[in-house]
Amino acid sequence: MEKVSSTLEEINQNAAGIDLGSGEHWVCVPTDRADKNVRRFGCFTPDLIAMADWLMECQINTVAMEATGVYWIPVFQILEAKGFEVKLVNAHHVKTVPGRKTDVLDCQWLQKLHTYGLLSGSFRPEDQVCVLRSYIRQRDTLIKSASAHIQRMQKALIQMNLHLHKVISDVTGLTGMKIIKAIVAGEQHPQVLASLKDPHIKSSTADIAASLTGDYRREHLFVLQQELTLYEVYQQQIIAVDTEIEKCLASFEPKTLDEPPTTGRKRRKKPTANHPDFDLHKYLYRIAGVDFTLIDGLDALTVQTILSEVGLNPKRFPSVKHFTSWLGLCPGQKVTGGKVKSSQTRTVVNRAANAFRMAAFSLTHSRSALGAFYRRLRSRLGAPKAITATAHKLARLFYQIWTTAGRYSDPGMEYYEQKYQDLILKNLQKKAQAFGLQLIPKSQDKEEASFYQTLST
C-alpha cells in the first residue's frame, strides 16, 4: 500500500508574496534566496523597478499579491512587463486567518500559500483588452456625471415652474436642448419657445407654451446656464473618448473582414441613447468573429461592455458553468449537513453581469422567446429573480455562440409558449397516470356528453 505524505508539496518553489499599500510594499521571497528574505519598497516607479530587479536576482518567476484598491495596477503591470507570472488574489481569501495583522506577516503568508499552490489568481483579460476596458469605463463614468447635470437642469426648470419634462420625453433631445439654450440666451416668451419644437413631438404647441409659462428668476437661470455648460463639456469629452475607442477597436486583429450578417429581424433605426457616432456593430463583429447582437436584448453597447470585461479568448473559461459562476449569475450551493441552506446567487461586483441583467430587463416587452421566458418567470418569481434567471440564460447563449462561432436564431414567442404548454400537459398526464386517471380534452368531453344526451332522449 502506497504511503500518503503528511506534508504539502511545494508546487511553486520560486514564488514570492507582496503585501501592497498606498505608501509602501512589503515583499517576501524564500529564505534561501537572500540574507533578508523580507524587504520593504516604496511606491514610486524607481522603487517598483528596483523591486522587480531584486526579484529577478532572487530567481523568482511567480508572484502573488492582494487586490488592494488600485494600488496593485502599476505593480502588476511592471512585474508582468518584466516577465513574471503575477497572480492577483482576492483579499477575502487570505485575510480570514487570525494572528496575521502586520504587513511583514501578510507578505510571508502570501508567499507561503503561493508556494504550496493554494492561491488562485483573479481573472484579468489580455493587455489590449484592458486598454479598451479603461476607455469604456471612463466613458461610463462620463455618462453618469453628465446625467447628474441633467437632473440639476430639470431641478432648475421646476424651481422656475417650467414643466418641460411633462410635454417632451427627453429634455436633452433635439427639442429640449433648443428650448433650454434659448432660455439661457434670454428668451422667455412661451409661444416663441414652443415654436422651437420638432415636428415629431406629439405634444401640441399650446401645451408646450403652457408648460413654459413660469417664474424666470435670475438665480435659477444662472444655475441652469452653469449646468447646461457642464453638460455640454461632458458631451464633448464623451466624443473624445469615442474617438479613442474607435482607434483602439481598429487596432485589434480582425477575425473576419466580412460584413455583419443580415437577418429578417428589424433592427432599431434610431440609435439608443449615448450611442457612438461610428459603426460599433461592425467593429465588434470583426474582432469577435460572431454577431452577438442577434441575441434579443444584446445591443452593440452591451456587447462592447461584456467583451471589454471578459476579453476575446473564450478558452479562459473552461466551460459555461465556469463562465456563469465568474459572472455570479448561477445558483449558489450552500450545503451543510446534507441540507441546502441557500441557493441564492453570490454577491459579485461585475460590470459584465450588470450588462447581462440590463439586457434581461430590456426584454420586458420583447415579442421573442427570451421575452416570453422572462415574463413567465416574472409572473411566478417576481422581477428581481426573473432578471437574474434571464441574465443567466443570456450568458449561456453568449458563451455558446462565443465558443462555437455559431449564430443565434430566435424561435419566436409563439414557439416558446407552445413548447411550455406541451411541457405542462406532459407533466399533468404523468400526475394523472400516477393516480390512475386519464386526461380528456375539453372538445372530446363535450362530444361524449352530447352523445350520451342523444341516447337518453
Side-chain angles (χ1 to χ4, degrees):
M1 184 176 179
E2 185 179 355
K3 185 178 180 180
V4 180
S5 176
S6 59
T7 59
L8 290 174
E9 180 183 358
E10 293 185 357
I11 298 176
N12 301 315
Q13 296 182 354
N14 300 322
I18 303 178
D19 183 77
L20 302 175
S22 60
E24 60 184 16
H25 309 310
W26 288 87
V27 186
C28 176
V29 298
T31 55
D32 59 343
R33 304 301 171 88
D35 296 335
K36 293 181 63 176
N37 68 318
V38 178
R39 285 187 59 179
R40 170 191 170 277
F41 292 90
C43 62
F44 300 142
T45 301
D47 299 323
L48 301 184
I49 296 175
M51 177 200 302
D53 295 338
W54 182 66
L55 290 175
M56 294 180 69
E57 292 176 3
C58 296
Q59 299 179 352
I60 300 298
N61 54 28
T62 179
V63 180
M65 65 177 70
E66 295 177 356
T68 306
V70 295
Y71 303 120
W72 62 269
I73 295 178
V75 181
F76 187 100
Q77 292 173 345
I78 290 177
L79 293 180
E80 191 177 48
K82 292 285 187 178
F84 292 97
E85 179 195 10
V86 187
K87 284 188 176 294
L88 189 64
V89 183
N90 189 338
H92 179 71
H93 296 166
V94 294
K95 283 293 188 182
T96 55
V97 180
R100 295 177 174 83
K101 302 301 181 185
T102 65
D103 296 337
V104 176
L105 292 176
D106 279 344
C107 69
Q108 292 176 338
W109 181 240
L110 284 171
Q111 190 272 334
K112 187 174 183 179
L113 291 177
H114 192 31
T115 300
Y116 293 121
L118 298 177
L119 297 179
S120 58
S122 301
F123 172 78
R124 178 178 168 88
E126 50 271 22
D127 186 66
Q128 192 176 16
V129 177
C130 289
V131 175
L132 175 64
R133 185 178 65 178
S134 297
Y135 287 132
I136 293 175
R137 288 184 176 181
Q138 173 64 9
R139 188 180 194 273
D140 183 61
T141 301
L142 292 175
I143 291 174
K144 291 179 179 178
S145 299
S147 66
H149 295 290
I150 295 174
Q151 293 173 343
R152 292 168 187 166
M153 282 193 292
Q154 289 180 330
K155 179 180 178 181
L157 290 173
I158 293 175
Q159 286 176 328
M160 291 184 287
N161 203 33
L162 305 179
H163 298 277
L164 183 61
H165 62 285
K166 292 185 178 180
V167 292
I168 61 175
S169 59
D170 184 12
V171 296
T172 60
L174 184 62
T175 299
M177 293 306 294
K178 281 184 178 180
I179 293 175
I180 291 176
K181 289 179 180 179
I183 293 174
V184 170
E187 182 61 56
Q188 298 182 4
H189 196 283
Q191 295 295 335
V192 177
L193 294 174
S195 64
L196 298 175
K197 83 179 188 72
D198 189 85
H200 296 91
I201 296 295
K202 295 181 180 179
S203 299
S204 64
T205 305
D207 291 338
I208 296 178
S211 69
L212 294 174
T213 303
D215 183 14
Y216 291 86
R217 294 177 63 91
R218 185 174 181 275
E219 65 272 22
H220 299 321
L221 289 172
F222 176 77
V223 172
L224 180 64
Q225 184 269 331
Q226 284 201 327
E227 297 301 331
L228 175 62
T229 302
L230 292 172
Y231 172 76
E232 291 177 336
V233 169
Y234 278 109
Q235 294 303 308
Q236 294 173 359
Q237 298 305 313
I238 291 173
I239 294 174
V241 173
D242 287 340
T243 303
E244 295 299 322
I245 291 176
E246 185 178 10
K247 293 179 181 178
C248 186
L249 289 172
S251 67
F252 281 85
E253 182 179 356
K255 293 184 179 180
T256 179
L257 296 177
D258 299 335
E259 294 293 325
T262 57
T263 62
R265 189 178 68 176
K266 293 183 179 179
R267 292 187 178 273
R268 183 193 297 266
K269 293 183 180 180
K270 182 180 178 181
T272 57
N274 302 313
H275 198 281
D277 292 334
F278 60 91
D279 193 349
L280 178 60
H281 178 221
K282 182 186 294 184
Y283 279 110
L284 294 177
Y285 176 71
R286 290 184 175 179
I287 67 175
V290 293
D291 189 3
F292 293 108
T293 61
L294 295 177
I295 303 176
D296 296 279
L298 298 183
D299 59 359
L301 281 175
T302 304
V303 174
Q304 177 185 247
T305 301
I306 295 171
L307 289 179
S308 68
E309 298 294 330
V310 304
L312 299 174
N313 184 13
K315 295 182 180 179
R316 298 290 297 273
F317 302 96
S319 67
V320 65
K321 293 183 179 180
H322 289 83
F323 183 61
T324 55
S325 177
W326 178 78
L327 291 170
L329 294 176
C330 65
Q333 292 182 348
K334 293 184 180 181
V335 181
T336 303
K339 296 182 179 180
V340 179
K341 295 296 183 181
S342 175
S343 60
Q344 292 184 351
T345 56
R346 296 182 297 112
T347 302
V348 176
V349 180
N350 193 306
R351 294 173 185 260
N354 292 337
F356 278 118
R357 284 191 168 93
M358 292 298 294
F361 181 72
S362 68
L363 296 171
T364 303
H365 303 291
S366 174
R367 299 189 63 81
S368 61
L370 290 170
F373 174 81
Y374 167 72
R375 289 188 291 272
R376 179 178 67 84
L377 291 183
R378 186 184 59 179
S379 63
R380 183 166 58 92
L381 302 175
K385 292 184 178 179
I387 289 174
T388 301
T390 308
H392 178 253
K393 192 177 186 68
L394 288 172
R396 296 182 71 93
L397 290 173
F398 183 95
Y399 184 84
Q400 182 181 1
I401 295 177
W402 195 20
T403 53
T404 62
R407 293 182 60 180
Y408 174 77
S409 179
D410 177 35
M413 182 179 65
E414 293 77 11
Y415 170 81
Y416 175 81
E417 295 291 353
Q418 184 61 43
K419 185 178 179 181
Y420 179 64
Q421 291 178 6
D422 294 341
L423 181 62
I424 293 178
L425 182 61
K426 185 178 180 181
N427 292 334
L428 288 175
Q429 288 175 348
K430 287 183 179 180
K431 290 182 180 180
Q433 290 178 0
F435 288 101
L437 303 175
Q438 182 180 4
L439 294 180
I440 300 176
K442 188 175 181 181
S443 59
Q444 182 179 350
D445 186 36
K446 289 182 178 180
E447 291 176 359
E448 291 182 357
S450 60
F451 174 75
Y452 287 121
Q453 186 177 4
T454 305
L455 290 178
S456 62
T457 55

